Structures are given as structure tokens and as C-alpha cells.
Amino acid sequence: MLLNTLPFASLPERNVRELVPCPAVLSLYAAPDFQGDCFMILHCVFLRLKSALTQDEKTALFDSVVALQKVIPGIVDVKYGPNVSPEGLHGGFADGFAVTFESVEARDAYLIHPEHVAVGERIVSSTDGGLAGLMVFDFNL
């Protein structure tokens, strides 16, 4: 049933199911007829940070988001940085981060997790206009 695709191609299917509990993720390594019933989520947050924030303060803010991966289960990856699009269509949202979750349930647990709430409050207080200074966009992977 497994394709010859890294990183799980050399493992028996039983071991892959133990390592990758989400059927949608498992389907990436399974035969095309595999029917998964959950989606990974890409949680994108775009920020209009206050101009008074120093680079060190920005780095510390994003480091606090990255640190959530160590305390909240289901976070697969965290990336952050400035907007680098040459199109000029950022609408003032010059910085951002993206968190990949293994499932909708993992994202939902993250949203109410006390560590996320604390980091979220810190982010909101760092944006120009509070909540108006951020945009959140989630989609299924």
C-alpha cells in the first residue's frame, strides 16, 4: 500500500500508522485509493506590527510563537518572517507567521490552549490597532 516516498517508504504500514495518526497525512504515503477523513490545517497570521517595535522585539515575539510547538500537541511546523512579495498588495501586513497543524482538532485545541492565549495577547498588544492589526486565514492542506 505504501508508495516509495520518503520518509516512511521503508517502514511497514503498521509502523507508519503509529507514527502518522491523521489519515490525511497518512494518505500522502498511501495508495491513491486511500480515503482519509481529516485535513491538516495551515493557520496563517498576517501582522501590522507597531513601527516602534525593534527587530529584537519582533524576533522575541516570533520566537514565542515557535516555542508553542514544544508545549501544544499537533503543531507540525512553524514559519515566520517579513512579507517578501514584490506585488505591493500586502495592505500594510508586513510580517506574519504560519503554523501547520496535523488536524482540525489540533488547531482547535491550540486556539484555546492557555499558552497560545498568552502569546496571542502579546501579539495583539504588539500590532498597530490591536485586533485590526492582524488577519488570520486558515485553510485545509
Side-chain angles (χ1 to χ4, degrees):
M1 180 169 171
L2 295 177
L3 298 173
N4 290 328
T5 306
L6 292 176
F8 303 118
S10 63
L11 296 174
E13 181 179 339
R14 174 182 51 82
N15 292 13
V16 173
R17 288 189 184 277
E18 291 168 6
L19 290 170
V20 187
C22 177
V25 177
L26 180 61
S27 70
L28 296 173
Y29 304 99
D33 62 346
F34 179 83
Q35 297 296 313
D37 62 354
C38 72
F39 295 95
M40 291 178 68
I41 297 291
L42 185 61
H43 174 71
C44 303
V45 180
F46 306 107
L47 306 167
R48 249 187 254 141
L49 294 172
K50 292 178 180 175
S51 58
L53 244 54
T54 67
Q55 189 58 46
D56 287 344
E57 290 170 324
K58 283 184 185 183
T59 300
L61 188 65
F62 290 124
D63 285 347
S64 68
V65 175
V66 171
L68 294 174
Q69 189 171 10
K70 295 182 186 210
V71 295
I72 303 177
I75 296 177
V76 176
D77 190 33
V78 180
K79 301 281 190 225
Y80 65 88
N83 175 35
V84 296
S85 173
E87 296 176 294
L89 301 174
H90 54 76
F93 294 95
D95 295 278
F97 62 91
V99 181
T100 306
F101 293 96
E102 68 184 14
S103 66
V104 171
E105 294 80 11
R107 187 268 324 268
D108 292 348
Y110 158 89
L111 292 176
I112 60 173
H113 193 283
E115 294 288 331
H116 167 258
V117 172
V119 170
E121 289 172 355
R122 188 170 160 203
I123 289 169
V124 170
S125 70
S126 299
T127 62
D128 187 20
L131 287 175
L134 62 92
M135 179 173 50
V136 177
F137 189 94
D138 292 1
F139 59 94
N140 295 330
L141 293 180

